[in-house]
Amino acid sequence: MEHVIYNQLSYPILTYTVFLPVAGALLLLFMRNATLIRLTTLIVTVAAFIISLPLLSNFDKTSYKMQFVEKHEWIPSWGINYFIGIDGISILFIFLTTLLSVLCVLVSWKAIETKAKEFHIAILILEAGMLGVFVALDFFLFYIFWEAMLIPMFLLIGVWGGQQRVYAAIKFFLYTLAGSVLMLVGIVVLYFKGGNTLDILTLSSVRYPLQLQLWLFMAFFAAFAVKVPMFPFHTWLPDAHTEAPTAGSVVLAGVLLKMGAYGFLRFSIPMFPDATRFFMKPILILSVVGIIYGALVCLAQKDLKRLIAYSSVSHMGFVTLGIFAMNSQGVEGGILQMLNHGVITGALFLMIGIIYERTHTRQISDYGGFAGLTPWYAGFFMILTFASIGLPGMNGFIGEFLILFGAFKAQKVMGVLAATGVILGAGYMLWLYQRVFFEKTNPDWTSGHHHVRDLNLREVITLVPLIALIFWIGFYPDVCLSYMHSSVEHLIENMNTSAYAGKDGLLARHIMESF
Amino acid sequence: MLKYTLIPLLPLLSFIINILLGRNVIKDKAHWIAVPAVFGSFILAVGAFMDVRAGNVININIYEWIVSGNFHVSVGFLIDQLTAIMLIVVTSISTLIFIYSIGYMHGDGGYYRFFSYLSLFVFSMLVLVMANNFLLLYFGWEAVGLCSYFLIGFWFHKKSAADAGKKAFIVNRFGDFGFGLGVILVFLTYGSLEYVEVFRNANSVMGQTINIFGSDVSLITLICLLLFCGAVGKSAQMPLHVWLPDAMEGPTPVSALIHAATMVTAGVFMVARCNPLFSLSHTAMNTVAIVGGVTAIFAASIGLVQNDIKRVIAYSTVSQLGYMFLALGVGAYSAGVFHLYTHAYFKALLFLGSGSVIHALSNEQNMQKMGGLKKYMPVTYTVFILATLSITGVPGFAGFFSKDEILWRAYSSGELGKFLWLLATVAALMTAFYSWRLIFMTFHGKFRGTHEQEHHLHESPKVITVPLMALAVGAVAAGWVGIPPLLMEHGDKIGEFLGPVLGHPHGEGTHAEELMVMGASIFVALAGWYLAYVMYVKKPYLPGELGSKFLPVYGLLYNKYWIDELYSKAFVQPVLKLSDKVILGFVDKGIIEGIVNGVPNLIGAFGSSLRKIQTGLLSNYGLVMAAGAIAIIGYMIFMG
């Protein structure tokens, strides 16, 4: 029986989707006119989005197998292949990436004045790198994409960022690199222990000795925990988010943060199921700490963008909590919440970028009364606020509820503690909303050339797709959940066929003996 | 099916149209969309009520909402006797308040916004009462909370309004924290969230326990108490009552509809809905009864000395909600729902009446600056009197029947019941006192406001007084469907109607005792009136004298037992300080960042090349990672 389903379409759809942005970037090299560059980038990202849509309609939801697979020999002497495909876990992130890339171009239309060409090339390369990470089924290919997206992101922050951009960029780079290096070591070890191959699916089917699992799990954990980011590996995030240009923040929150959780799902859990079981409880604890800690820090923030950045720590805590609850509801909720966070926080960063273009300040105390000044803007922000808080009828609720359900089922205390994050979440978001939109208007914004305008058409078009997704998923989550069922069941089944399933004591004893 | 799904969908449609087009197109015609929509819902609700009376219980699933693993829940409606009554209450009062708002909100800059939010609220409330499962109930539950937040903070330029909205939402989140966990636990216990499924198997968990934080708790008790947490928040019971008085920052129609007649009774509805579960747990039932009884007297005592007309009524609402929970807690579910239904009319009337007064005085809410209004506002005065006769429990009026039913059921339910009956009777005395005090301070005596105000004093326009008169009919007559069998055979129609859902209470007591309870309740109603009459009409110097004589007591009541101050000092300030000084300042910037940035500096200090800070960062980060890994392994060894 084949373990994968080869691409059933008449053209290599994944290759097209991933490399179209690269082709677009090459095209930009020959252009001078900034408007032409913007337009070309927009067309390329829209094209990539449209090309990626048949993936959704042609995906076989009943199968957990990799689909739309393309496999070609690349470096045969090392057993390296050009091997790509997607399953129920990665498919939605392809869609999220291509969608957010379009919106990033739109929101940068006026904001990026300097080095427009380089900026748009970076955006396109970044898009290709992110897509590549989600489709790669060969470790060599995966690592190339993983590192490739680091560079444009580093440049986005370092070149087009705020005042502290260089510090933030270097911090981001070093943190991520440090994790990546450990992962590289892990990959090399896997290559030798798993039968001289870099085929991710083959390597996933091997049961590694207990001790090796533990070491490899920790090596990969280093890379992924930084990316998520999990407490206490999170301090690069507020700086990077805050200093990055709007498009950078959107991509960071929307897609880059998902790489870590995706890594857990794609590598750590299938390859090291016993180590996962062993580390489950501490990771759940770290997740809960992250949820509460992130929320508390948000209460103390005075900077709009930093507050949203820290809220990611809290939200991503929910994601890892769900994933490591290791039941269908937890994992599916976790994956859905990754998507939701991309949509909601992505949109929140778009919103902050939009208002920053008008006011040039991120200090919350400079705002106030904007609900009267910019009612449409306030309305959109209100929707995002409540989506972030997890109000039923919006996507955030479905994710949070499934995660809390899964967590409570797995570890009651964790579920209960995590649920306090729901109270704190309402606290910091509503307080933020009040300070920005309610009470007295700062007179600076109502007079003269500072007069703040409401949303224009381009901005509304940028936001509407995300708002639509918020309600669509909120009322009909099946639109996302149905893609995951098979793959998640398979993932959990794989965990449960381990010899240590339900035998934590035995596992602990064997681990002690193995050292 | 459509005729039932349209009941909530019409107001939703009104919301969508008004919020999208209101600002630029519809503007001050927003009520042309909203009023027909809610009236349409009312007509359909009456139809649904008729269907239920004819013996049909409607239970339909519309589509599967969430499916994940073995978890599944649908969007679906259940219309049984309980829901039918709620539908009538919600849609009839909404319609009247919508009409009233045309006059009350006339000329407000946010006119379309007001009708948008109000429509969204009606949609949410209807989903809440029509849901056939716990998660859809939760949807409605949160959505009404959202609308409440919008409408309390409707005049958002005022800091106090914005604060109050936020406070309402966050305090409710504390209750919902428990409620949400309760819903999860219901599914894990019964494998379904549908009422019918859950209640059919309710018995199956008797005697089971669950281990929480190391101790064994009865599963059914835990489920009920968690669900009840939600009710305590939403229905403003102690200790989560603090948001409701502040919610009076919202426009008065909002106070009437959301914070008196409908939303705040959602907790009562929910507990009544879950009666098959609550009836299985003595502990939970007693908790409900005690919380209700204590809240009833506690809130009434605060109401005695407040001077803001809306706040008096707000505390009255908290207190009356307490009565309802008291009824539920002693197993008299239909009495609780009966009081919910009569209260909706007379309390909405009190609020709208006070709105009429506030409107006439150009937004004055302090009763000390009112007085003598009865000759200027005869209609408002008359309906106010009717509502007061009703709430104080004067025989024949709606409130008498429902309150008497509660008092009797409490009295006849046992030892605890007798004690709670005593509390409730004292609370009834206070109710009569503060209600008549409000009337005397507002409508009797001399006008104490400014000349400017006096010059403009007038009765409100028809669009305001007609809904008042309609509600007055309810405040007088709504109780006639629940006349105790003692006075009239087959008089308790509402109890019989609700019987299939809520069962029949069983207490012990003789006719003589029942008459005694009734007599006591009539006596306190008159005594309260007399006390208020003496203090505020006969000898108006008395309140001041008493106030200064018993200053500590007066201060305690006037300052609402200092509970807001306590919460602020004990919870809010510490959490803010913790997050700023400890978490952000010390842990995040000090420890974590200190390790990441500081170690290279330390190396620098030891004489290595300062130029290598960046590579130092990298290697030191590895060090931190290793330390973290060691800490985790250490934890596992000790905990494993």
Side-chain angles (χ1 to χ4, degrees):
Chain A
M1 199 179 76
E2 277 287 357
H3 287 288
V4 298
I5 301 171
Y6 281 93
N7 179 23
Q8 56 272 52
L9 302 175
S10 58
Y11 57 99
I13 181 167
L14 286 178
T15 300
Y16 281 11
T17 312
V18 174
F19 287 99
L20 185 71
V22 180
L26 290 175
L27 202 60
L28 290 190
L29 284 174
F30 304 102
M31 295 184 182
R32 283 239 178 97
N33 183 304
T35 313
L36 188 65
I37 287 170
R38 290 194 176 97
L39 211 59
T40 311
T41 317
L42 182 64
I43 291 168
V44 169
T45 49
V46 169
F49 175 69
I50 292 172
I51 289 180
S52 71
L53 287 179
L55 292 172
L56 294 174
S57 50
N58 288 296
F59 188 83
D60 178 3
K61 293 177 182 176
T62 60
S63 172
Y64 68 85
K65 290 175 187 166
M66 286 295 165
Q67 308 186 22
F68 308 99
V69 164
E70 298 168 37
K71 191 171 185 177
H72 306 287
E73 276 199 345
W74 188 9
I75 314 177
S77 52
W78 289 356
I80 294 170
N81 294 305
Y82 175 76
F83 184 16
I84 58 176
I86 53 171
D87 67 354
I89 294 172
S90 46
I91 181 165
L92 295 169
F93 297 102
I94 304 290
F95 169 74
L96 180 70
T97 308
T98 54
L99 175 66
L100 285 180
S101 297
V102 176
L103 307 183
C104 281
V105 178
L106 278 175
V107 80
S108 307
W109 209 264
K110 288 264 157 60
I112 301 299
E113 300 279 346
T114 53
K115 299 199 180 87
K117 183 200 257 182
E118 288 78 2
F119 177 84
H120 287 91
I121 291 177
I123 290 275
L124 288 173
I125 299 289
L126 184 59
E127 179 179 7
M130 296 186 297
L131 290 169
V133 166
F134 288 125
V135 300
L137 294 178
D138 181 284
F139 258 128
F140 188 75
L141 194 59
F142 171 81
Y143 200 76
I144 289 178
F145 281 128
W146 181 271
E147 294 298 324
M149 69 183 183
L150 211 69
I151 295 157
M153 194 67 229
F154 170 72
L155 293 175
L156 280 182
I157 302 172
V159 178
W160 291 275
Q163 286 172 348
Q164 297 277 314
R165 57 182 179 270
V166 176
Y167 170 76
I170 291 177
K171 198 170 176 182
F172 163 76
F173 195 80
L174 291 178
Y175 257 80
T176 323
L177 193 68
S180 306
V181 167
L182 287 173
M183 178 169 72
L184 185 62
V185 174
I187 293 175
V188 172
V189 174
L190 271 179
Y191 176 80
F192 289 112
K193 298 282 178 178
N196 291 5
T197 178
L198 287 169
D199 179 332
I200 289 170
L201 297 183
T202 310
L203 289 172
S204 303
S205 60
V206 180
R207 271 294 148 101
Y208 302 95
L210 208 49
Q211 199 178 6
L212 183 65
Q213 278 196 36
L214 291 180
W215 286 114
L216 288 174
F217 185 94
M218 285 192 277
F220 279 83
F221 182 80
F224 300 145
V226 166
K227 274 272 175 202
V228 167
M230 291 180 72
F231 174 87
F233 310 110
H234 64 275
T235 51
W236 65 271
L237 174 125
D239 289 313
H241 264 101
T242 313
E243 297 305 321
T246 302
S249 308
V250 172
V251 171
L252 255 181
V255 187
L256 249 66
L257 298 191
K258 309 302 161 335
M259 301 292 181
Y262 175 75
F264 286 134
L265 290 162
R266 177 67 73 227
F267 308 112
S268 305
I269 295 171
M271 291 180 179
F272 323 121
D274 301 319
T276 303
R277 190 175 296 285
F278 181 69
F279 284 115
M280 182 173 148
K281 218 170 182 178
I283 292 182
L284 289 179
I285 292 173
L286 277 188
S287 304
V288 171
V289 171
I291 291 170
I292 297 171
Y293 183 94
L296 285 175
V297 174
C298 283
L299 281 174
Q301 289 304 324
K302 295 173 180 66
D303 179 309
L304 201 53
K305 217 170 171 186
R306 239 184 147 75
L307 193 155
I308 301 300
Y310 265 109
S311 78
S312 291
V313 177
S314 187
H315 286 161
M316 293 310 286
F318 272 107
V319 170
T320 49
L321 179 73
I323 290 175
F324 284 92
M326 272 302 144
N327 47 42
S328 332
Q329 292 84 15
V331 176
E332 290 189 1
I335 299 172
L336 184 64
Q337 196 63 1
M338 286 158 72
L339 189 77
N340 291 341
H341 178 262
V343 171
I344 299 166
T345 310
L348 279 168
F349 278 121
L350 288 175
M351 293 294 279
I352 292 171
I354 287 169
I355 206 72
Y356 184 79
E357 271 181 47
R358 291 149 165 74
T359 61
H360 299 285
T361 173
R362 291 191 315 250
Q363 285 298 308
I364 297 171
S365 54
D366 289 340
Y367 289 85
F370 271 58
L373 199 59
T374 55
W376 285 106
Y377 181 83
F380 277 93
F381 207 104
M382 180 67 88
I383 294 172
L384 296 170
T385 299
F386 280 98
S388 170
I389 288 173
L391 198 85
M394 303 196 199
N395 59 352
F397 170 70
I398 312 284
E400 265 182 23
F401 178 77
L402 286 175
I403 289 167
L404 289 175
F405 186 97
F408 191 80
K409 193 164 149 186
Q411 299 275 338
K412 283 184 199 66
V413 180
M414 294 297 153
V416 173
L417 291 176
T420 58
V422 174
I423 303 175
L424 293 169
Y428 66 76
M429 284 309 283
L430 291 186
W431 193 30
L432 169 71
Y433 197 88
Q434 178 177 354
R435 287 178 289 170
V436 174
F437 293 95
F438 294 158
E439 303 179 24
K440 296 261 178 301
T441 314
N442 184 339
D444 286 359
W445 307 130
T446 53
S447 60
H449 65 286
H450 277 306
H451 188 84
V452 177
R453 287 168 295 109
D454 207 342
L455 294 175
N456 62 33
L457 186 65
R458 172 176 58 87
E459 290 158 345
V460 172
I461 292 172
T462 312
L463 293 165
V464 161
L466 297 176
I467 303 287
L469 272 177
I470 285 174
F471 288 108
W472 191 3
I473 298 174
F475 281 99
Y476 193 69
D478 222 36
V479 67
C480 293
L481 290 174
S482 61
Y483 285 99
M484 305 170 196
H485 294 323
S486 305
S487 294
V488 170
E489 284 316 313
H490 180 67
L491 184 79
I492 291 168
E493 207 178 282
N494 181 54
M495 275 283 290
N496 290 341
T497 50
S498 152
Y500 297 107
K503 295 174 186 157
D504 289 356
L506 187 71
L507 176 62
R509 201 162 69 239
H510 283 182
I511 286 174
M512 296 295 288
E513 283 164 6
S514 72
F515 276 97
Chain B
M1 193 172 106
L2 186 67
K3 63 178 175 176
Y4 302 124
T5 39
L6 272 181
I7 297 176
L9 285 186
L10 285 178
L12 178 65
L13 215 59
S14 156
F15 163 71
I16 293 171
I17 295 172
N18 270 325
I19 199 76
L20 291 179
L21 303 177
R23 190 175 170 75
N24 300 316
V25 185
I26 302 174
K27 294 176 189 166
D28 55 353
K29 305 238 171 0
H31 58 275
W32 282 110
I33 312 282
V35 174
V38 68
F39 185 69
S41 292
F42 171 65
I43 298 292
L44 291 169
V46 172
F49 181 81
M50 291 307 182
D51 290 347
V52 173
R53 266 196 76 169
N56 300 317
V57 167
I58 298 117
N59 192 357
I60 37 175
N61 279 326
I62 296 172
Y63 71 93
E64 284 218 281
W65 184 15
I66 309 177
V67 182
S68 174
N70 64 351
F71 179 84
H72 55 91
V73 68
S74 295
V75 169
F77 295 132
L78 168 71
I79 306 180
D80 59 1
Q81 288 82 352
L82 178 60
T83 297
I85 292 209
M86 292 301 291
L87 285 179
I88 296 290
V89 171
V90 172
T91 54
S92 66
I93 293 185
S94 297
T95 306
L96 292 173
I97 290 176
F98 272 52
I99 295 170
Y100 176 96
S101 304
I102 300 173
Y104 193 85
M105 297 304 289
H106 178 78
D108 191 287
Y111 192 76
Y112 79 96
R113 226 161 29 91
F114 185 79
F115 277 102
S116 307
Y117 297 156
L118 223 51
S119 300
L120 183 65
F121 168 77
V122 177
F123 158 75
S124 315
M125 190 69 205
L126 290 170
V127 171
L128 193 161
V129 298
M130 287 173 72
N132 74 347
N133 64 66
F134 282 92
L135 206 65
L136 194 61
L137 168 76
Y138 190 79
F139 170 94
W141 192 268
E142 293 290 296
V144 290
L146 172 76
C147 300
S148 166
Y149 166 81
F150 285 156
L151 286 161
I152 296 169
F154 183 76
W155 289 307
F156 56 79
H157 287 300
K158 261 168 77 185
K159 185 175 189 308
S160 54
D163 279 336
K166 181 181 63 186
K167 181 174 176 183
F169 197 89
I170 294 173
V171 170
N172 265 292
R173 273 267 152 152
F174 278 89
D176 297 347
F177 163 78
F179 188 36
L181 290 174
V183 171
I184 291 174
L185 197 55
V186 165
F187 188 90
L188 290 176
T189 308
Y190 295 103
S192 174
L193 285 178
E194 268 194 52
Y195 295 145
V196 178
E197 277 291 302
V198 173
F199 298 155
R200 189 191 302 139
N201 302 320
N203 284 316
S204 64
V205 296
M206 285 305 287
Q208 284 185 37
T209 57
I210 185 170
N211 194 291
I212 275 274
F213 293 113
S215 59
D216 285 334
V217 189
S218 154
L219 183 55
I220 189 73
T221 301
L222 184 66
I223 290 177
C224 292
L225 289 180
L226 284 173
L227 293 176
F228 184 57
C229 283
V232 169
K234 190 112 294 176
S235 295
Q237 298 296 290
M238 279 187 77
L240 297 182
H241 64 282
V242 289
W243 66 271
L244 186 60
D246 287 18
M248 297 303 121
E249 288 287 343
T252 305
V254 172
S255 314
L257 179 61
I258 302 186
H259 303 122
T262 56
M263 182 188 84
V264 288
T265 63
V268 179
F269 165 77
M270 189 263 286
V271 174
R273 173 57 83 204
C274 299
N275 72 81
L277 299 180
F278 278 85
S279 296
L280 296 174
S281 169
H282 268 295
T283 317
M285 288 295 270
N286 289 344
T287 310
V288 174
I290 292 169
V291 167
V294 170
T295 304
I297 191 164
F298 162 84
S301 70
I302 298 176
L304 295 175
V305 297
Q306 298 302 312
N307 289 325
D308 181 309
I309 186 167
K310 281 180 75 181
R311 278 188 184 251
V312 175
I313 309 176
Y315 279 106
S316 160
T317 304
V318 175
S319 167
Q320 296 297 314
L321 289 164
Y323 277 99
M324 297 176 209
F325 282 106
L326 169 58
L328 301 175
V330 298
Y333 300 104
S334 57
V337 173
F338 184 29
H339 197 56
L340 181 165
Y341 152 78
T342 58
H343 174 258
Y345 291 95
F346 63 69
K347 189 52 65 64
L349 180 53
L350 285 172
F351 266 119
L352 293 189
S354 74
S356 177
V357 169
I358 294 165
H359 197 67
L361 293 173
S362 359
N363 299 324
E364 181 58 71
Q365 297 190 193
N366 188 346
M367 296 190 296
Q368 288 172 322
K369 295 182 181 159
M370 298 180 182
L373 295 182
K374 73 177 170 185
K375 66 177 173 206
Y376 302 103
M377 311 183 74
V379 180
T380 305
Y381 176 64
T382 313
V383 298
F384 234 112
I385 293 282
L386 294 175
T388 301
L389 292 170
S390 192
I391 190 178
T392 55
V394 171
F397 291 85
F400 166 74
F401 296 107
S402 54
K403 194 192 280 184
D404 180 64
E405 178 74 4
I406 291 174
L407 292 170
W408 167 237
R409 293 301 170 193
Y411 182 88
S412 62
S413 73
E415 286 299 313
L416 177 67
K418 288 208 172 52
F419 170 68
L420 293 172
W421 165 79
L422 194 67
L423 287 189
T425 305
V426 177
L429 175 70
M430 296 178 178
T431 307
F433 178 80
Y434 68 65
S435 299
W436 287 110
R437 170 178 176 266
L438 185 152
I439 295 266
F440 295 140
M441 284 181 79
T442 308
F443 293 99
H444 291 245
K446 276 215 178 66
F447 184 67
R448 298 180 293 273
T450 61
H451 272 296
E452 175 73 14
Q453 284 172 328
E454 191 167 13
H455 188 68
H456 288 112
L457 276 178
H458 58 89
E459 180 59 279
S460 297
K462 283 240 159 45
V463 69
I464 285 182
T465 51
V466 171
L468 290 181
M469 291 186 253
L471 281 171
V473 174
V476 174
W480 297 348
V481 296
I483 299 167
L486 182 71
L487 301 180
M488 189 175 129
E489 214 175 329
H490 300 300
D492 188 17
K493 290 205 179 56
I494 189 163
E496 284 165 23
F497 179 69
L498 286 169
V501 188
L502 302 182
H504 299 279
H506 30 72
E508 293 159 15
T510 60
H511 281 327
E513 282 176 306
E514 195 173 347
L515 281 173
M516 185 279 285
V517 167
M518 198 181 287
S521 114
I522 296 169
F523 172 75
V524 295
L526 297 177
W529 167 80
Y530 181 71
L531 279 174
Y533 179 74
V534 169
M535 284 178 69
Y536 290 91
V537 179
K538 285 290 267 254
K539 302 177 179 167
Y541 53 87
L542 256 184
E545 269 184 17
L546 284 174
S548 42
K549 206 165 179 183
F550 300 98
L551 198 60
V553 180
Y554 177 79
L556 188 69
L557 294 181
Y558 187 77
N559 291 297
K560 307 158 284 184
Y561 297 86
W562 306 101
I563 288 180
D564 277 313
E565 287 73 10
L566 175 76
Y567 286 177
S568 174
K569 287 256 155 46
F571 301 111
V572 182
Q573 299 307 330
V575 166
L576 290 180
K577 213 164 254 172
L578 172 83
S579 58
D580 191 19
K581 297 278 171 339
V582 181
I583 300 285
L584 180 63
F586 183 65
V587 181
D588 216 61
K589 285 191 179 148
I591 298 183
I592 299 178
E593 285 281 80
I595 292 171
V596 177
N597 293 337
V599 177
N601 296 341
L602 203 68
I603 294 168
F606 277 110
S608 311
S609 168
L610 278 163
R611 293 284 159 204
K612 286 186 182 166
I613 280 180
Q614 285 169 14
T615 48
L617 255 173
L618 176 57
S619 61
N620 285 297
Y621 198 73
L623 206 74
V624 176
M625 293 275 192
I630 290 166
I632 290 174
I633 294 171
Y635 164 85
M636 290 309 290
I637 291 169
F638 287 113
M639 303 294 282

